[in-house]
Amino acid sequence: MIRLNDIIDRVNSYLYLNDGDVELIKKAYVYSAKVHAGQKRSSGEPYLSHPLEVSGIISEMKLDLSSIITGLLHDTVEDTLATSDEIESLFGKEIAYLVDGVTKISQLPYSSKKERQAESFRKLILATAKDIRVVLIKLADRLHNMRTLEHLSEERQMRIAKETIEIYAPLSHRLGINWVTNDLEDLAFSFINREEFGRLSKLITERKSEWEKHVDDIRTIIESKLMEFDISSEVTGRFKHIYGIYSKMQSQNLEFDNVYDVIAFRIITNSLKECYEALGAVHSSWKPVPGRFKDYIALPKGNGYQSLHTTVIGPFGERMEIQIRTRAMHEIAEYGVASHWTYKEGKLEEGGTYEIYSTLRQLLEWKDIQDPTEYMEAIKGELITNVLYVFTPQGDLRELPTGATPIDFAYSVHTEVGNTCTGAMVNGKLVPLNYQLKTGDTIKIVTSRDRHPSRDWLKFVITSNAKTKIRNWLRNEERTQSEIVGKSICERKFKQHGLDFNKLLKKGELQKSLAELKIKDVKELYLAVGFGKMSVNDLLKRILPSDKMDAPPEKESRIEKIIKTITRSSEGGILVRGYEDVMIRFANCCSPLPGEDILGYITRGKGITIHKDDCPTLHEVDRARRIDVEWDKNFEGLRPVRLMVMCSDRPGVLSDISSSISACDVNIAKAEMHADDVESAMGNFDVIISNLSQLENVMKSIKKVKGVKSVVRSNERERT
């Protein structure tokens, strides 16, 4: 465990603390020790070890005094009897705000873990908008939690590791804090895929001494070349971190021995001019690999990263990646946002590069998304790290995720440009709307007031911005139509019983009955009826005597017949809250299994479709069409699931995988395998599963087969 004096010494090396500063740190330490007294972590260590380590990580980021103190206090309000008012009275408003910013939402009652996760993250981002230090302290907290994750249950390990690799590591990357990103990715990977992490760790260990000698030899050669050109610089070699190697293997379908840039070299120069001179020296000494040069100095990444990247055929005939940057650029590359904290006599300088907030601007745009699953999907989509750079016709640079289309670009310009997009021209040529953009493209969007978003666009757009804006337009259009349908049904149904619906509404005679049905206004009534979530009879029963309700009504309209078909026989082990007899079907896009959280989606004329509650299809429909459902605990049926397996292309692999599935007492409905390239193959296996636990056992069994690289549950989307 790090000691308080170690933290003080480290902070003093860049902040020059005075006696009062040191006393304030010690005061925070004593207070934290007092309120956490008697508490222990899952490891058995005193709880105080955690805030100490978090404060130590914050000092590695070289943050200010308030951040260091917040690290010591960050869990006091959440996990002890301490209050925000008490923190403010003892340590001031600024520190109280930082502590509150990193405190998770845990006191309020939420319907699911997903909703709590979404609201806690929403709170974090909103606090970060006012003070960037909030998210930096949160990343330090997450990093230490990941370093001690082995002491938690396997279920919590997997949940926290997935959240880390999907949200916190990409967030750290967005903020440009390279060393934190690498640590978070490796730690999360070690829990998510233990076997592959162990295999790669062993391979790296076996080759490390050989690589280190290779690095020394190459570094000496590069240094001598630069000296010939009279360039003063520092040359270092570094190994790609384990998750970086794994990602490269997955994205390019490579074996470990074929990942050529496990080792990369950095040339740190004293000036911008020397960067390009060093590049010339490197290219004049070794042949550059075509298409492998990137100038991030002229075109910086969104997180402020600047460097020249080139790959050359090195002195021993192997590919060699070289990065060239100034010392100031290197500081930003390693510490990102944290490097913008500049100090003068121990104080943060006024106006210290607040453009850093732009890195989180897009995340703030999603603060009003109410659905927790959609909100977290939007956040994850916004944190995609593989990007390309394109231009507007005016020459403005825009950063988009790899695979983005003209529709994604259109929505990045303006919502209305996206909503009215009718065509696109890339580099002066007309292209289809699903065309995948490339770095350097110049895009001109053609618009028309008569054009509106199409549901088909959701099949190929990839940015959260475009998906959310398209879904919003479609949902608003759907709500408008459903309101019209609901109003028509209400008027017609009341007329069948000799009542004037609009007259009763105007007089306020339906207000009490609507309140009893928990309908807040007439618009909500129209939507509930139009979407098929309630029957007008539920309202009529509250204002008509039972004998009049029993009288045969006039002939039903076609639309009423369609909506009525959703109340048919129930099947599939699903209980629908509020309905006794409902027609059920399962969505092919996510194939939910007993044991998984599920939601229903009302489809006119087809009953209720059951989805996993995090299925992307649900994001495309209005929340009013969703309905609470749950598994019948007595259900013992079987459900089909498709598994996609990536593996080595070797004789007998199909038989071995099939045997591993059969060994779990699971039937295979269909199995197919085809070669992906010379050395790899991909297989699809349709298996019949009884519950989520059985599926997990099957996937674990497949992973043990020799040559299997990955096993994922395939989602073949079909519209419902």
Side-chain angles (χ1 to χ4, degrees):
M1 181 172 75
I2 192 170
R3 299 178 307 160
L4 182 66
N5 284 342
D6 297 330
I7 296 171
I8 292 172
D9 289 344
R10 190 183 292 164
V11 177
N12 206 29
S13 69
Y14 65 87
L15 263 187
Y16 312 112
L17 300 172
N18 59 42
D19 291 343
D21 295 335
V22 173
E23 285 306 310
L24 196 58
I25 293 175
K26 289 180 177 178
K27 180 182 176 182
Y29 170 77
V30 171
Y31 180 83
S32 185
K34 178 185 172 183
V35 297
H36 285 299
Q39 294 181 348
K40 290 189 180 295
R41 303 201 81 215
S42 299
S43 62
E45 290 181 295
Y47 195 90
L48 186 62
S49 64
H50 175 61
L52 268 171
E53 293 289 351
V54 170
S55 192
I57 293 169
I58 292 168
S59 69
E60 287 183 67
M61 293 180 181
K62 298 182 179 179
L63 294 185
D64 67 328
L65 181 64
S66 295
S67 300
I68 301 298
I69 292 170
T70 302
L72 292 169
L73 302 173
H74 77 279
D75 274 341
T76 54
V77 174
E78 186 174 331
D79 293 330
T80 76
L81 296 176
T83 65
S84 293
D85 289 342
E86 189 176 4
I87 298 294
E88 184 176 334
S89 67
L90 290 171
F91 301 99
K93 219 173 233 187
E94 179 186 12
I95 290 171
Y97 179 81
L98 294 175
V99 171
D100 180 68
V102 295
T103 299
K104 294 196 296 289
I105 293 175
S106 55
Q107 286 77 25
L108 299 177
Y110 288 104
S111 60
S112 67
K113 290 179 182 177
K114 193 175 270 82
E115 187 175 358
R116 182 176 281 106
Q117 178 201 37
E119 291 310 309
S120 292
F121 195 79
R122 198 191 309 267
K123 179 181 180 237
L124 172 69
I125 294 300
L126 289 172
T128 299
K130 294 182 180 177
D131 196 318
I132 198 75
R133 291 172 294 179
V134 171
V135 75
L136 299 177
I137 296 163
K138 185 66 178 179
L139 287 172
D141 175 45
R142 176 52 62 113
L143 180 54
H144 184 249
N145 281 333
M146 288 302 299
R147 288 174 177 172
T148 56
L149 196 62
E150 73 271 12
H151 301 291
L152 301 184
S153 67
E154 192 170 328
E155 184 271 329
R156 289 186 68 194
Q157 286 176 3
M158 188 62 72
R159 177 174 58 80
I160 293 170
K162 283 184 176 178
E163 182 183 62
T164 298
I165 211 158
E166 290 176 353
I167 298 173
Y168 287 98
L171 180 58
S172 176
H173 175 85
R174 172 64 65 90
L175 297 171
I177 314 172
N178 187 52
W179 67 274
V180 172
T181 305
N182 291 349
D183 282 2
L184 288 175
E185 286 179 342
D186 280 353
L187 287 164
F189 180 47
S190 71
F191 290 96
I192 293 170
N193 195 336
R194 297 172 194 271
E195 291 179 14
E196 188 66 7
F197 179 85
R199 186 179 78 87
L200 291 176
S201 297
K202 184 180 177 183
L203 288 170
I204 290 168
T205 302
E206 289 171 353
R207 291 163 171 76
K208 195 162 187 180
S209 59
E210 176 190 335
W211 285 350
E212 286 173 346
K213 184 180 183 308
H214 181 71
V215 166
D216 288 339
D217 292 342
I218 296 291
R219 185 174 63 239
T220 301
I221 294 170
I222 294 174
E223 285 174 343
S224 65
K225 290 289 182 185
L226 293 174
M227 286 176 66
E228 288 177 20
F229 286 81
D230 197 27
I231 299 171
S232 175
S233 64
E234 175 189 342
V235 181
T236 61
R238 58 104 180 137
F239 302 127
K240 188 182 284 288
H241 65 298
I242 296 175
Y243 185 72
I245 294 172
Y246 175 76
S247 297
K248 178 80 74 171
M249 291 168 61
Q250 292 295 304
S251 64
Q252 298 184 13
N253 204 12
L254 300 170
E255 292 294 340
F256 177 79
D257 290 332
N258 296 327
V259 179
Y260 62 83
D261 58 350
V262 170
I263 303 171
F265 295 89
R266 289 197 188 113
I267 299 173
I268 312 297
T269 70
N270 295 318
S271 68
L272 177 62
K273 176 172 169 282
E274 287 181 323
C275 285
Y276 290 97
E277 288 174 348
L279 177 68
V282 168
H283 282 182
S284 66
S285 302
W286 302 291
K287 289 183 179 179
V289 176
R292 297 292 302 173
F293 169 66
K294 293 176 183 175
D295 188 342
Y296 292 120
I297 292 179
L299 298 173
K301 290 186 177 182
N303 59 18
Y305 176 89
Q306 287 184 292
S307 188
L308 299 175
H309 287 199
T310 187
T311 301
V312 298
I313 305 300
F316 302 113
E318 81 286 22
R319 288 189 173 196
M320 185 169 73
E321 182 184 356
I322 298 176
Q323 301 169 358
I324 308 169
R325 60 181 76 133
T326 65
R327 295 188 188 281
M329 292 173 189
H330 181 64
E331 188 78 6
I332 292 172
E334 288 302 301
Y335 293 96
V337 162
S339 69
H340 291 277
W341 290 88
T342 54
Y343 300 96
K344 189 174 183 180
E345 297 177 355
K347 304 281 186 180
L348 179 67
E349 285 187 324
E350 285 295 317
T353 321
Y354 285 97
E355 65 195 30
I356 53 182
Y357 288 101
S358 65
T359 62
L360 297 176
R361 186 179 61 247
Q362 194 65 53
L363 297 184
L364 285 167
E365 286 199 11
W366 311 132
K367 67 181 184 294
D368 296 326
I369 298 178
Q370 296 304 311
D371 182 75
T373 303
E374 185 177 352
Y375 175 72
M376 293 312 296
E377 186 203 51
I379 291 297
K380 290 172 190 176
E382 200 54 48
L383 293 172
I384 290 173
T385 56
N386 295 323
V387 297
L388 52 85
Y389 299 91
V390 295
F391 296 93
T392 68
Q394 292 74 36
D396 295 329
L397 181 69
R398 290 195 177 269
E399 183 181 287
L400 292 170
T402 302
T405 66
I407 295 291
D408 293 295
F409 174 83
Y411 279 105
S412 78
V413 174
H414 193 278
T415 300
E416 198 56 32
V417 175
N419 284 345
T420 58
C421 175
T422 187
M425 301 199 57
V426 174
N427 304 325
K429 295 180 181 178
L430 195 65
V431 298
L433 292 178
N434 63 354
Y435 169 84
Q436 291 197 354
L437 302 173
K438 300 178 183 63
T439 289
D441 283 347
T442 297
I443 303 104
K444 179 181 179 182
I445 299 297
V446 182
T447 61
S448 169
R449 289 185 179 180
D450 298 327
R451 183 64 187 260
H452 301 295
S454 164
R455 192 173 294 277
D456 288 338
W457 290 0
L458 290 167
K459 295 176 182 177
F460 55 79
V461 297
I462 68 166
T463 59
S464 299
N465 186 33
K467 287 178 182 177
T468 301
K469 298 294 173 58
I470 294 166
R471 286 169 180 159
N472 283 346
W473 193 92
L474 292 172
R475 282 195 293 244
N476 288 336
E477 185 69 12
E478 191 173 40
R479 285 175 74 87
T480 301
Q481 295 303 317
S482 293
E483 272 192 66
I484 294 169
V485 169
K487 186 174 188 294
S488 173
I489 291 174
C490 286
E491 291 171 347
R492 186 180 180 86
K493 203 75 176 176
F494 270 63
K495 188 178 179 182
Q496 288 174 358
H497 290 275
L499 299 172
D500 187 325
F501 174 78
N502 292 311
K503 196 172 182 181
L504 291 171
L505 195 64
K506 195 172 182 180
K507 287 183 177 180
E509 294 181 22
L510 300 179
Q511 219 164 17
K512 183 181 176 184
S513 298
L514 289 174
E516 289 173 358
L517 290 167
K518 296 182 179 178
I519 301 290
K520 64 181 180 182
D521 55 33
V522 69
K523 185 175 181 179
E524 189 175 318
L525 171 67
Y526 293 155
L527 287 172
V529 173
F531 282 138
K533 289 192 76 169
M534 72 165 281
S535 168
V536 183
N537 285 339
D538 295 333
L539 180 58
L540 285 166
K541 284 175 186 176
R542 283 168 167 75
I543 61 175
L544 282 176
S546 57
D547 58 328
K548 286 199 174 183
M549 279 299 300
D550 293 337
E554 296 177 22
K555 188 178 179 181
E556 291 180 324
S557 68
R558 185 177 66 85
I559 190 68
E560 288 173 275
K561 285 182 179 179
I562 291 174
I563 291 180
K564 195 172 181 180
T565 59
I566 70 168
T567 54
R568 292 189 192 162
S569 59
S570 178
E571 58 182 68
I574 299 295
L575 302 176
V576 184
R577 297 170 197 170
Y579 289 84
E580 295 180 0
D581 199 21
V582 186
M583 185 174 73
I584 295 294
R585 68 191 187 110
F586 290 93
N588 292 320
C589 52
C590 57
S591 299
L593 288 172
E596 294 184 305
D597 293 332
I598 51 176
L599 272 175
Y601 158 56
I602 296 174
T603 313
R604 293 195 195 98
K606 296 181 180 179
I608 296 175
T609 306
I610 308 301
H611 293 261
K612 287 170 60 179
D613 76 339
D614 59 355
C615 178
T617 300
L618 290 173
H619 304 163
E620 297 160 22
V621 299
D622 196 287
R623 289 171 64 87
R625 291 183 69 175
R626 302 182 197 179
I627 191 165
D628 290 333
V629 296
E630 60 187 32
W631 291 100
D632 185 340
K633 292 178 181 177
N634 299 317
F635 178 62
E636 296 181 354
L638 299 172
R639 299 284 309 135
V641 175
R642 170 161 288 190
L643 297 176
M644 189 167 70
V645 181
M646 292 293 295
C647 60
S648 301
D649 186 15
R650 63 171 178 82
V653 69
L654 176 59
S655 174
D656 291 348
I657 294 173
S658 298
S659 297
S660 73
I661 296 172
S662 299
C664 297
D665 198 24
V666 168
N667 288 328
I668 303 173
K670 182 181 178 183
E672 58 183 13
M673 184 79 71
H674 64 269
D676 223 22
D677 58 27
V678 178
E679 298 178 344
S680 298
M682 187 183 82
N684 289 316
F685 295 83
D686 292 350
V687 293
I688 308 302
I689 299 292
S690 59
N691 55 54
L692 186 59
S693 177
Q694 187 180 48
L695 175 64
E696 289 170 351
N697 288 336
V698 169
M699 294 176 75
K700 284 181 182 178
S701 181
I702 295 173
K703 286 178 183 177
K704 293 177 182 177
V705 174
K706 181 182 177 183
V708 170
K709 300 172 184 174
S710 66
V711 184
V712 296
R713 187 169 167 184
S714 176
N715 289 336
E716 292 192 331
R717 296 194 60 181
E718 290 183 15
R719 294 287 166 189
T720 54

